[in-house]
Amino acid sequence: MAMENELIRKVVRYEEELNRRVAAEEARSRAWLEEGRARLGMEFDRRKEALDEECARSLAAAGDEAQREATATVARAESRAAALEGIDEGLLKRLIRQHISSILPRGSDDHPDVEG
């Protein structure tokens, strides 16, 4: 019986030691997991910030390009308008008549609304 009691005490000590080791490993695993989560969170924040900055730069560049294109378009329109202002009135009327006759169906050039 003494031997059985000694054996039971040894088993209980081993079980207690095993439980302590398991608890220590669980604590270590939780700490490792939390550390990993923190590292991933910081990496996510770093990458998000970099992407936000790149997005802002891209938007600014696109806005600058749109402004340049708009300025060029306005300049071309002003140049064309200036060129059209100098057209002789008689030439302008002839050009308009030619254009109108090219878009009207044939046989329509005798309309009373059109001078000819």
Side-chain angles (χ1 to χ4, degrees):
M1 183 85 145
M3 225 170 159
E4 285 179 17
N5 287 340
E6 183 61 29
L7 184 59
I8 290 174
R9 279 193 290 272
K10 281 184 180 183
V11 169
V12 168
R13 281 195 305 265
Y14 287 134
E15 186 177 351
E16 289 171 350
E17 178 61 25
L18 184 59
N19 285 336
R20 280 192 294 274
R21 288 182 182 184
V22 167
E25 189 60 33
E26 286 175 346
R28 207 176 72 153
S29 295
R30 279 192 299 274
W32 177 82
L33 182 61
E34 287 303 314
E35 182 183 318
R37 283 182 182 155
R39 276 196 314 268
L40 286 174
M42 289 186 310
E43 179 67 13
F44 174 82
D45 291 344
R46 186 186 66 75
R47 289 185 182 191
K48 183 182 180 304
E49 185 177 328
L51 287 173
D52 287 346
E53 289 172 3
E54 185 174 335
C55 182
R57 283 192 301 272
S58 294
L59 284 173
D64 291 346
E65 179 63 23
Q67 180 63 42
R68 283 191 295 275
E69 288 179 17
T71 300
T73 300
V74 168
R76 285 191 304 272
E78 288 174 343
S79 175
R80 288 179 184 156
L84 290 174
E85 284 178 352
I87 291 180
D88 174 63
E89 192 174 321
L91 174 61
L92 187 56
K93 285 180 181 179
R94 283 192 306 276
L95 291 173
I96 291 172
R97 282 189 195 117
Q98 287 175 354
H99 182 67
I100 289 173
S101 66
S102 71
I103 60 174
L104 288 177
R106 294 291 177 212
S108 301
D109 50 343
D110 59 344
H111 283 284
D113 294 348
V114 178
E115 288 183 22

